[in-house]
Amino acid sequence: MWGEAPQPQIGADEVLIRVYATAFNPADVSVRKGTYLEAGEAPIVLGLECAGVIEGVGENVAGWSLGDRVCALLNFGGYAELVAVPATMVLALPDHLSFEQGAALPEGLCTVWSNWLLGNDPSLVRTCLIHGGTGGVGSLAVQVAKFRGHTVFTTAGSHAGLEMTRRLGADHSISYRDQDFVAEVLMHTGGEGVDLIFDTQGASYFARNVQALKADGHLALIGIQGGTNTEVDLMQLLRKRVIVSATMLKSRPSYGPHSKSEIVRRVRDDLWSGVEAGVIMPQIGAVRDLKDAASVHAEFADGDLAPGKTVFRVQEEPSC
Ligand SMILES: NC(=O)c1ccc[n+]([C@@H]2O[C@H](COP(=O)([O-])OP(=O)(O)OC[C@H]3O[C@@H](n4cnc5c(N)ncnc54)[C@H](OP(=O)(O)O)[C@@H]3O)[C@@H](O)[C@H]2O)c1
């Protein structure tokens, strides 16, 4: 439903962003279906990330000025012309990136990096398997892994998708339709498996992911596209001393330990130089007008979205 909303009021620690682009996330569809929010949560304006220009600065905020080009992780609100956001959840948009590109970064990079940090010391990771390397999150995960010098295995469903992941730098692109990713990983790692698996599938891949992990490896679960319930032989996890982490970015608070602000800070400190250097680039599948959002949601449900991230143009940028 589209409508007029009151202008967001910024708190002392927040900035107001004029939104030029936001991005589609699968969670937007879950919210519309009513399966994402906690029972009793108020209706919200969709949109978990955005890019635009700072138009208001709270009295406690240092480091941001009116007119700054930024992108931001949001607690919803990106499908609107203006959004108020904690200043600590904002990142400076490099000049070489458009607003559409900027809007495709915060949710994916924060998801990737927060999960990476939950396993063993990230500097010990040498090899990883990233499921869905063509997706909004997966395509960033592949680039983050290469930025950090890892050997990357990734899965994709189509010939074009496999090609895309190779272009992003994946060392081993595996068809999840025609190949057995466990066999491929074990064959190319001398039977050892990988240090880290970044998984969007959940139940359908759980047991096979454990097989493809190295001893002391980390299985980072970020999605449940393959279901929520599975049976697992826990002895396999014990024997391999597997770390399993499962996280949802949205359920984190804005401030404090383990918060969105903390994750944005780590993304800025650890990964943003890769974005500034153009080594980590958002992969845009399509740019659509925000008024087409309902069609985009339907296309997602039918599996018809182009590989990469679908972003929305929210309003015209003023011409200079
Ligand atoms: N936990 C969190 O905080 C968090 C945050 C953001 C997103 N997520 C979740 O992460 C998942 C991915 O999000 P996204 O924005 O990247 O979605 P997306 O852009 O729609 O990408 C979905 C990906 O899944 C791949 N895929 C489909 N079936 C697969 C299979 N059987 N094996 C391996 N890959 C398969 C697709 O590959 P092909 O296109 O090659 O078929 C595509 O790359 C979603 O479930 C989303 O809800 C979680």
Side-chain angles (χ1 to χ4, degrees):
M1 186 180 78
W2 296 112
E4 287 295 322
Q7 166 136 343
Q9 299 300 308
I10 48 170
D13 299 311
E14 294 184 327
V15 296
L16 184 69
I17 298 176
R18 177 158 292 277
V19 179
Y20 289 114
T22 185
F24 169 74
N25 280 283
D28 300 344
V29 175
S30 310
V31 174
R32 283 184 65 185
K33 282 188 191 153
T35 56
Y36 194 77
L37 297 177
E38 302 284 343
E41 264 186 85
I44 43 86
V45 175
L46 296 177
L48 293 167
E49 55 195 333
C50 76
V53 167
I54 291 189
E55 203 166 284
V57 179
E59 61 198 43
N60 294 343
V61 173
W64 295 115
S65 306
L66 300 183
D68 285 349
R69 294 174 83 246
V70 294
C71 57
L73 184 67
L74 303 175
N75 297 311
F76 293 119
Y79 284 30
E81 290 158 302
L82 291 165
V83 66
V85 55
T88 41
M89 286 163 51
V90 174
L91 292 153
L93 189 61
D95 289 343
H96 67 90
L97 293 182
S98 65
F99 290 122
E100 284 88 2
Q101 290 172 311
L105 284 172
E107 174 79 8
L109 276 185
C110 289
T111 300
V112 170
W113 197 230
S114 59
N115 280 277
W116 225 278
L117 296 171
L118 290 170
N120 291 312
D121 178 349
S123 67
L124 299 178
V125 173
R126 300 270 179 273
T127 49
C128 55
L129 166 62
I130 291 156
H131 286 300
T134 57
V137 177
S139 59
L140 288 170
V142 169
Q143 295 176 82
V144 166
K146 291 314 296 179
F147 177 63
R148 297 186 58 80
H150 305 328
T151 298
V152 177
F153 295 79
T154 190
T155 54
S158 65
H159 182 71
L162 291 166
E163 272 305 308
M164 172 180 167
T165 58
R166 285 186 198 108
R167 275 199 310 279
L168 293 177
D171 301 278
H172 303 278
S173 298
I174 304 165
S175 164
Y176 66 74
R177 293 188 202 284
D178 304 327
Q179 289 175 286
D180 174 355
F181 71 80
V182 178
E184 291 296 317
V185 164
L186 294 179
M187 183 169 75
H188 291 286
T189 56
E192 279 198 318
V194 288
D195 296 308
L196 169 69
I197 298 182
F198 206 77
D199 182 47
T200 51
Q201 299 304 302
S204 59
Y205 277 6
F206 196 92
R208 291 163 72 205
N209 279 336
V210 174
Q211 288 172 26
L213 262 188
K214 204 172 178 172
D216 295 308
H218 172 206
L219 170 54
L221 176 66
I222 68 141
I224 47 172
Q225 289 175 324
T228 51
N229 294 309
T230 186
E231 214 166 86
V232 57
D233 176 358
L234 294 173
M235 182 54 89
Q236 300 300 324
L237 276 78
L238 294 177
R239 234 182 234 128
K240 279 194 171 175
R241 304 176 298 280
V242 168
I243 300 170
V244 180
S245 65
T247 70
M248 187 191 252
L249 196 51
K250 186 257 161 193
S251 63
R252 292 178 185 271
S254 297
Y255 302 106
H258 312 294
S259 64
K260 295 188 182 94
S261 294
E262 185 56 27
I263 291 169
V264 169
R265 182 185 69 74
R266 289 300 303 261
V267 165
R268 183 186 301 115
D269 291 352
D270 301 340
L271 303 180
W272 211 244
S273 62
V275 174
E276 287 168 340
V279 177
I280 299 173
M281 287 290 287
Q283 303 301 306
I284 308 291
V287 178
R288 305 279 289 269
D289 284 332
L290 185 57
K291 63 178 166 44
D292 294 336
S295 313
V296 167
H297 290 195
E299 288 163 34
F300 169 77
D302 293 341
D304 288 341
L305 287 187
K309 192 96 174 171
T310 299
V311 294
F312 295 119
R313 243 182 258 110
V314 176
Q315 57 191 311
E316 288 299 320
E317 295 168 43
S319 48
C320 306

